[in-house]
Amino acid sequence: MGVPKKKTTRARKGARRSHHHVKSGAYVKCDNCGELKIPHSVCSACGYYKKEQVVEVSEL
């Protein structure tokens, strides 16, 4: 069974894990109201998708 001969340094460990970070999500402006929303989804602020209302949004 293989056993490491030397301790892995923080720099080497960090370099190996450099691509493990969490990426920020993509956001676009809504065509109708201008709020930020996730692409290819209904706007939570106004209920529009591709310039067409698909969800009725209730006002609080």
Side-chain angles (χ1 to χ4, degrees):
M1 191 160 162
V3 178
K5 282 196 172 196
K6 297 189 181 221
K7 179 180 179 178
T8 304
T9 63
R10 289 179 296 223
R12 186 174 289 276
K13 181 172 61 175
R16 184 177 64 241
R17 296 178 181 175
S18 65
H19 64 282
H20 289 188
H21 59 88
V22 177
K23 295 179 178 139
S24 64
Y27 293 99
V28 294
K29 284 188 177 180
C30 175
D31 292 335
N32 187 49
C33 66
E35 290 285 325
L36 290 178
K37 69 177 193 79
I38 300 170
H40 308 290
S41 64
V42 177
C43 179
S44 59
C46 64
Y48 274 71
Y49 180 68
K50 291 188 176 180
K51 299 180 183 178
E52 190 175 310
Q53 188 165 13
V54 291
V55 177
E56 198 67 38
V57 178
S58 63
E59 299 293 326
L60 293 175

